[in-house]
Amino acid sequence: MSDSTIESVLSEQRLFHPSEEFSQQAHIKSTEEYQQIYNRAQQDPESFWAELAEKELDWFEKWNQVLDWQPPFAKWFVGGKLNISYNCLDRHLKTWRRNKAALIWEGEPGDSRTYTYAQLHREVCQTANVLKQLGVQKGDRVGIYMPMIPEAAIAMLACARIGAAHTVVFGGFSAEALKDRLNDASAKLVITADGGWRKDAIVPLKDQVDKALANQSVPSVENVLVVQRTEQDVHMEAGRDHWWHDLKAGVSAHCPPEPTDSEDMLFILYTSGTTGKPKGVVHTTGGYNLYTHVTLKWAFDIQDTDVYWCTADVGWITGHSYIVYGPLSNGATTVMYEGAPRPSAPGCMWDIVEKYGVTIFYTAPTAIRAFIKMGEHHPKSRDLSSLRILGTVGEPINPEAWMWYYKVIGNSRCPIVDTWWQTETGGFMVTPLPGAIPTKPGSATLPFPGILADVVDLDGNQVATNEGGYLVVKYPWPGMMRTVYGDPDRFRRTYWEHIAPREGQYLYFAGDGARKDEDGYFWVMGRVDDVINIAGHRLGTMEVESALVSHPAVAEAAVVGRPDEMKGEEIVAFVTLEGDYSAGEELEKELKQHVAGEIGAIARPGAIRFSDALPKTRSGKIMRRLLRNLASGQDVSGDTSTLEDRSVLDKLREGS
Ligand code: PRX
């Protein structure tokens, strides 16, 4: 956050109460009710979650132990058997929801499709049978690299149905990034599309898959299943590549759900950390199903009449938990959109709200800032009266954007649900329950029942009211990640060792800084590690640095984030060059393109600053704090006593 944002957040005092009418119909109706549930859950989290698991999910076999906690490894509902695709589909077929819209999809060129629960069930069963035909078995990993089309959700659910774990790779990632993830997961099959529509252009997904798999560089992949979406010519490798529609033709729609164990892996989702290699975050079945179900139900107050739209991509955790699993497990209608606001369609989001009568709209601060820039005449010229709840996620929301969202989109009557959570947490952790918790612009408010969140110092001591500290969670919860795929040690190091365990209590370290105010409200201030948040997307500085040094011109690179009005943060890279290369605009362009090619367009640096040397400590560590301040134009004359060579800094400053 920029200094001015931090200041306005610190002075933010406004409190917004839900209307009485809203609270009365909500699942959780008052602060007192929330407090009561919270206290009960705090006293006995296990029985709290067990009761919900019994009430909200269908189980083939009941668990024999609610929680097995061998810090930092948790198992929930041990011995229980269920299938998340059954909970998302089959169980609704026995009710009136059978013919309710499960998935409403709006395509970028204006085409659309709606699947009822019965139709979605049929598609998932057929696809699951296709996966079986291709030799996919329980426990195998399947890569999914897709545009935002219904087949992405269908593929995920089909994997879940047969007990295979999916690993969805965001369609904006490069072939190189895709290859690394498929290799790390040893994926057996890749499901993709010929292309996807994005901002009036085709993203050539199949070409990227071909590049990723070239020269047997992902030896585990046996087959590629290709959905026809954009219909341009693509290469189909004989024996390896198959059209989705060919294999699905005439396939049985009967596919009994595999009774998976609570702790069977549901998916791996890669996310950036502080080292170069992205982490494979592992989520398992039972706890994740329960957690996404209950958090969505209470925080977005899901009712049967809702038309719920989350604008994320299925390639991120928000898409997994809150486009696919959470909404479908609740029997809700979930909207999926292939496109994004763009100059040629600045009002496209509001057209969709109007067209389908969307009641709950969930997006990111970066999108809200883009809407503000495009002008309020776009939302104002559409009928948005169907909306009743607005959500935000991905980065701290500045109070100005919050107020605009509240007034212009919500017409000052829709509660704003600011949800703080992470890929690792599986679902919402700190969030308002809209009928119960009054909101303050810029605050994610209070922890979800069962979540013992706090703000502490590095010794694990709670910090004073309004003092900054580290956001931690003091007790396991069902939706938590179980491990880093193939690297349990990294799991322990990354999340459980920053803050020393005290009296046997392990604290989950989220990597975010926060403070709690006098009402116990959380104000998340952003990352405290080497992770940058660009337009709500997480990137590790090391990841970008590795991409830069893989270019022959670059000798050394240091990457920092600087505040950006639209994207929240933007990448600034400081690089030193190999002897034969000289700095210049051409090379700057080339390096930006190189990073985009290595990781994906979201990682393209906003600026590259060439330098003869980087500022280092006497022990040779790059002083990122200095670079961060330099990048954002702040004073760097302060604490530079540990700097090895002051002249490096002086030169960098001259060049800025
Ligand atoms: O820094 C926090 C920020 O996003 C990080 C998690 O990123 P990711 O795993 O990609 O998941 C994003 C979607 C859940 C967090 O560590 N973040 C997420 N939501 C908020 C937020 N920061 C402030 N307020 C939020 N509501």
Side-chain angles (χ1 to χ4, degrees):
M1 276 196 281
S2 68
D3 282 356
S4 64
T5 306
I6 289 174
E7 258 164 45
S8 60
V9 161
L10 282 174
S11 59
E12 187 57 62
Q13 298 291 342
R14 287 170 287 193
L15 196 62
F16 292 83
H17 291 270
S19 69
E20 217 164 276
E21 192 193 348
F22 185 98
S23 292
Q24 268 167 14
Q25 60 72 51
H27 290 299
I28 314 293
K29 299 180 193 330
S30 64
T31 312
E32 296 69 42
E33 190 182 351
Y34 158 78
Q35 208 64 58
Q36 224 173 22
I37 301 175
Y38 189 87
N39 292 345
R40 222 221 92 196
Q42 182 169 23
Q43 278 153 18
D44 188 354
E46 275 142 87
S47 72
F48 168 73
W49 291 117
E51 263 171 44
L52 284 168
E54 191 120 33
K55 181 165 161 251
E56 301 289 345
L57 301 185
D58 285 20
W59 296 82
F60 301 143
E61 259 175 61
K62 203 179 155 178
W63 56 90
N64 43 47
Q65 188 184 359
V66 180
L67 170 65
D68 175 7
W69 178 222
Q70 318 265 350
F73 301 101
K75 290 183 183 156
W76 282 89
F77 310 112
V78 182
K81 299 249 186 285
L82 76 168
N83 185 289
I84 197 168
S85 90
Y86 180 93
N87 278 323
C88 287
L89 300 167
D90 306 50
R91 64 172 170 161
H92 305 310
L93 304 190
K94 299 177 211 153
T95 70
W96 68 271
R97 293 195 188 103
R98 184 179 178 84
N99 293 320
K100 175 181 176 175
L103 181 66
I104 296 178
W105 173 75
E106 184 76 13
E108 176 85 307
D111 46 346
S112 59
R113 274 186 258 162
T114 297
Y115 294 85
T116 64
Y117 272 94
Q119 289 168 327
L120 192 60
H121 174 260
R122 191 185 158 79
E123 294 285 330
V124 168
C125 287
Q126 282 187 317
T127 308
N129 282 331
V130 169
L131 299 187
K132 283 189 200 164
Q133 271 177 27
L134 290 173
V136 179
Q137 291 173 354
K138 186 172 175 182
D140 285 342
R141 276 82 52 215
V142 173
I144 298 179
Y145 184 65
M146 294 274 259
M148 281 289 285
I149 55 177
E151 287 82 352
I154 291 166
M156 290 162 75
L157 289 160
C159 289
R161 193 158 190 93
I162 63 171
H166 52 72
T167 180
V168 183
V169 179
F170 171 56
F173 275 125
S174 66
E176 196 58 30
L178 174 64
K179 181 186 82 185
D180 291 347
R181 285 157 177 77
L182 293 174
N183 263 326
D184 191 80
S186 308
K188 195 168 184 181
L189 170 74
V190 180
I191 308 180
T192 188
D194 49 357
W197 291 103
R198 198 78 187 167
K199 304 205 173 178
D200 304 318
I202 288 176
V203 184
L205 294 168
K206 177 62 169 59
D207 289 355
Q208 298 293 323
V209 171
D210 290 342
K211 272 191 214 150
L213 301 184
N215 309 318
Q216 288 292 309
S217 52
V218 190
S220 58
V221 170
E222 293 169 5
N223 291 288
V224 178
L225 189 56
V226 188
V227 175
Q228 194 168 42
R229 167 70 186 131
T230 44
E231 297 183 14
Q232 83 277 25
D233 276 342
V234 291
H235 166 75
M236 293 293 278
E237 181 97 4
R240 185 195 74 181
D241 300 349
H242 317 269
W243 286 110
W244 167 288
H245 55 267
D246 281 348
L247 295 199
K248 256 180 78 192
V251 163
S252 160
H254 177 71
C255 177
E258 180 71 30
T260 44
D261 192 275
S262 276
E263 284 298 331
D264 277 346
M265 184 161 72
L266 177 64
F267 64 85
I268 309 171
L269 187 57
Y270 287 86
T271 190
S272 297
T274 45
T275 63
K277 195 170 169 267
K279 296 182 283 253
V281 170
V282 170
H283 282 287
T284 57
T285 306
Y288 176 84
N289 192 168
L290 178 69
Y291 198 66
T292 52
H293 179 104
V294 176
T295 47
L296 186 70
K297 181 169 175 177
W298 289 358
F300 279 112
D301 190 47
I302 290 287
Q303 309 281 347
D304 252 323
T305 44
D306 278 318
V307 177
Y308 161 89
W309 180 21
C310 164
T311 68
D313 191 284
V314 287
W316 309 114
I317 191 69
T318 312
H320 283 57
S321 301
Y322 299 117
I323 293 178
V324 181
Y325 291 116
L328 296 176
S329 182
N330 276 286
T333 297
T334 184
V335 176
M336 190 177 187
Y337 178 39
E338 188 181 17
R342 53 202 185 278
S344 63
C348 60
M349 309 303 266
W350 319 122
D351 284 337
I352 293 173
V353 170
E354 187 176 281
K355 180 172 175 186
Y356 297 110
V358 170
T359 58
I360 304 173
F361 180 71
Y362 185 30
T363 195
T366 187
I368 297 167
R369 291 191 295 265
F371 300 146
I372 297 174
K373 199 169 167 202
M374 283 188 252
E376 56 180 63
H377 54 284
H378 296 298
K380 288 233 158 115
S381 58
R382 271 79 173 180
D383 177 6
L384 305 184
S385 59
S386 56
L387 290 170
R388 65 181 201 97
I389 299 173
L390 301 173
T392 163
V393 62
E395 58 178 305
I397 181 165
N398 43 314
E400 300 73 23
W402 195 103
M403 285 308 302
W404 185 91
Y405 198 27
Y406 184 73
K407 284 190 187 154
V408 178
I409 305 303
N411 201 15
S412 304
R413 63 180 173 78
C414 303
I416 306 273
V417 177
D418 178 355
T419 58
W420 175 83
W421 61 295
Q422 313 177 291
T423 306
E424 293 88 339
T425 68
F428 310 148
M429 300 294 278
V430 180
T431 176
L433 306 185
I437 300 176
T439 51
K440 300 182 188 184
S443 169
T445 75
L446 299 170
F448 196 81
I451 299 305
L452 310 189
D454 209 345
V455 180
V456 301
D457 62 21
L458 273 183
D459 294 324
N461 301 311
Q462 194 178 45
V463 299
T465 299
N466 279 324
E467 217 168 85
Y470 302 99
L471 183 37
V472 296
V473 188
K474 297 180 159 173
Y475 199 76
W477 65 101
M480 68 194 276
M481 74 182 283
R482 297 301 193 260
T483 189
V484 171
Y485 188 68
D487 198 349
D489 224 46
R490 189 168 175 199
F491 174 60
R492 184 193 298 275
R493 276 197 320 272
T494 312
Y495 304 103
W496 304 94
E497 286 184 350
H498 285 271
I499 294 166
R502 315 173 75 213
E503 293 147 20
Q505 190 181 40
Y506 279 72
L507 302 188
Y508 168 80
F509 172 77
D512 278 325
R515 71 181 170 93
K516 269 199 306 183
D517 70 13
E518 42 291 331
D519 298 323
Y521 277 42
F522 283 71
W523 298 80
V524 179
M525 312 304 276
R527 302 291 305 195
V528 292
D529 52 9
D530 291 327
V531 169
I532 353 185
N533 192 328
I534 293 143
H537 301 319
R538 216 167 125 170
L539 279 170
T541 49
M542 288 270 284
E543 219 176 326
V544 183
E545 286 162 10
S546 313
L548 279 164
V549 296
S550 73
H551 188 283
V554 177
E556 208 176 12
V559 160
V560 295
R562 81 165 164 215
D564 178 84
E565 216 180 285
M566 295 306 289
K567 293 188 273 183
E569 271 187 299
E570 149 174 281
I571 293 176
V572 179
F574 292 85
V575 301
T576 64
L577 296 178
E578 293 286 352
D580 302 344
Y581 291 86
S582 47
E585 245 174 63
E586 261 321 288
L587 186 59
E588 176 166 358
K589 248 201 229 152
E590 189 177 319
L591 292 180
K592 287 181 180 174
Q593 190 46 40
H594 177 73
V595 174
E598 288 290 300
I599 303 174
I602 49 168
R604 185 191 301 273
I608 306 243
R609 304 263 295 266
F610 297 103
S611 170
D612 293 339
L614 297 176
K616 291 187 182 163
T617 62
R618 288 188 192 103
S619 60
K621 270 181 100 173
I622 294 174
M623 295 185 71
R624 281 169 203 285
R625 181 178 47 80
L626 277 183
L627 291 177
R628 253 194 306 270
N629 290 346
L630 259 180
S632 55
Q634 286 174 38
D635 181 25
V636 287
S637 52
D639 175 28
T640 52
S641 52
T642 48
L643 194 61
E644 184 203 33
D645 177 1
R646 253 207 85 93
S647 69
V648 171
L649 183 62
D650 293 337
K651 272 197 205 143
L652 272 169
R653 209 164 20 182
E654 278 161 28
S656 68

